[in-house]
Amino acid sequence: MMLNKTIKKAIKLEYLLYLPEDYSKETDKKWPLVLFLHGSGERGENVEMVAKHGIPKLAEEKKFPFIALSPQCPTNSNWEMQKDAVLALLHEAFESLSIDKDRVYLTGLSLGGYGTWSLSQQYPELFAAIVPICGGGLPINVSRIKDIPVWAFHGAKDDIVPIDETERMVQALQKINGNVKYTIYSEATHDCWSQAYNEPELYKWLLAQKKIR
């Protein structure tokens, strides 16, 4: 993982960047990108906290075959408030890295789960698929992501974010025949992301999705 100081200054968000082992800008190969949004406990000014959970925690171990971009949300803020900064970071990454823009994915946990629902609804043209984990959003806006593949996760015993938060979003998508998968972990509490991000089929499913133009 590395911190790109140039992009950091440009958009005022620190972040972690993971590049696959064989990544090179010297070839014509374009890489998938996963934008990861962390939870409330990782906010602040210590960017290494972003690697406490989820994609940036597992990146080196799993040797992901995609670029992972993991910004840090400031203290006392949320991803909705930082949407312009996140969008600027993403576009800066498009300019500086070899990214396949048809294979850009969005995922997040807890606070980042809410951010995943929110950002995808506001910028549906950017994402080929989303993976919101133990978050929630506005069911009234799900028509904006009707055609985006969604795989949502939640723990049945979550005592921080009620499972109803995810179920409202999933049910709203189901009502309009959205492309949605939903996994409930019957014994999981709030930390269902440890199971979700270790699902063997998750990354196969995610990387198989491609934007239809």
Side-chain angles (χ1 to χ4, degrees):
M1 296 182 189
M2 61 184 182
L3 185 64
N4 185 311
K5 300 293 186 180
T6 302
I7 299 180
K8 171 191 165 185
K9 288 182 179 179
I11 54 83
K12 299 181 181 178
L13 281 184
E14 294 198 14
Y15 65 94
L16 297 176
L17 176 65
Y18 167 81
L19 298 176
E21 286 184 339
D22 51 346
Y23 173 87
S24 174
K25 288 190 67 177
E26 304 306 315
T27 69
D28 293 331
K29 181 173 181 177
K30 299 295 184 181
W31 292 83
L33 178 140
V34 173
L35 176 62
F36 170 78
L37 305 180
H38 63 71
S40 60
E42 291 73 68
R43 291 177 294 183
E45 298 180 356
N46 177 7
V47 73
E48 294 302 325
M49 287 292 292
V50 176
K52 186 176 180 180
H53 302 294
I55 297 292
K57 176 182 179 180
L58 298 171
E60 296 291 345
E61 171 193 336
K62 289 187 176 292
K63 306 296 182 186
F64 287 136
F66 53 77
I67 297 169
L69 184 62
S70 307
Q72 184 175 39
C73 188
T75 305
N76 299 322
S77 187
N78 59 46
W79 293 114
E80 171 64 24
M81 295 167 64
Q82 297 300 319
K83 63 183 179 181
D84 291 340
V86 172
L87 188 64
L89 172 59
L90 188 58
H91 282 291
E92 187 70 26
F94 289 161
E95 294 179 7
S96 61
L97 299 169
S98 297
I99 294 170
D100 182 349
K101 293 182 182 179
D102 290 331
R103 299 175 73 202
V104 176
Y105 312 108
L106 175 62
T107 185
L109 59 90
S110 194
L111 183 77
Y114 282 91
T116 297
W117 287 114
S118 176
L119 266 67
S120 63
Q121 289 175 331
Q122 293 179 70
Y123 310 111
E125 71 282 358
L126 291 176
F127 305 109
I130 66 170
V131 181
I133 300 176
C134 59
L138 297 174
I140 194 172
N141 293 331
V142 297
S143 61
R144 299 175 185 174
I145 57 171
K146 177 182 180 294
D147 298 322
I148 297 178
V150 178
W151 192 347
F153 294 84
H154 215 115
K157 297 182 178 180
D158 193 328
D159 57 351
I160 303 297
V161 176
I163 193 172
D164 289 351
E165 290 288 284
T166 290
E167 294 195 336
R168 279 194 290 267
M169 301 299 288
V170 170
Q171 290 167 4
L173 280 169
Q174 290 172 337
K175 286 181 181 178
I176 59 172
N177 296 315
N179 187 351
V180 58
K181 291 163 59 80
Y182 181 31
T183 296
I184 302 170
Y185 295 117
S186 60
E187 297 302 316
T189 55
H190 191 48
D191 175 17
C192 69
W193 55 79
S194 293
Q195 289 176 260
Y197 285 125
N198 277 290
E199 284 284 352
E201 294 301 314
L202 174 60
Y203 303 102
K204 294 178 185 178
W205 174 87
L206 191 64
L207 295 172
Q209 311 306 320
K210 190 172 183 179
K211 283 186 62 176
I212 300 174
R213 294 187 179 276

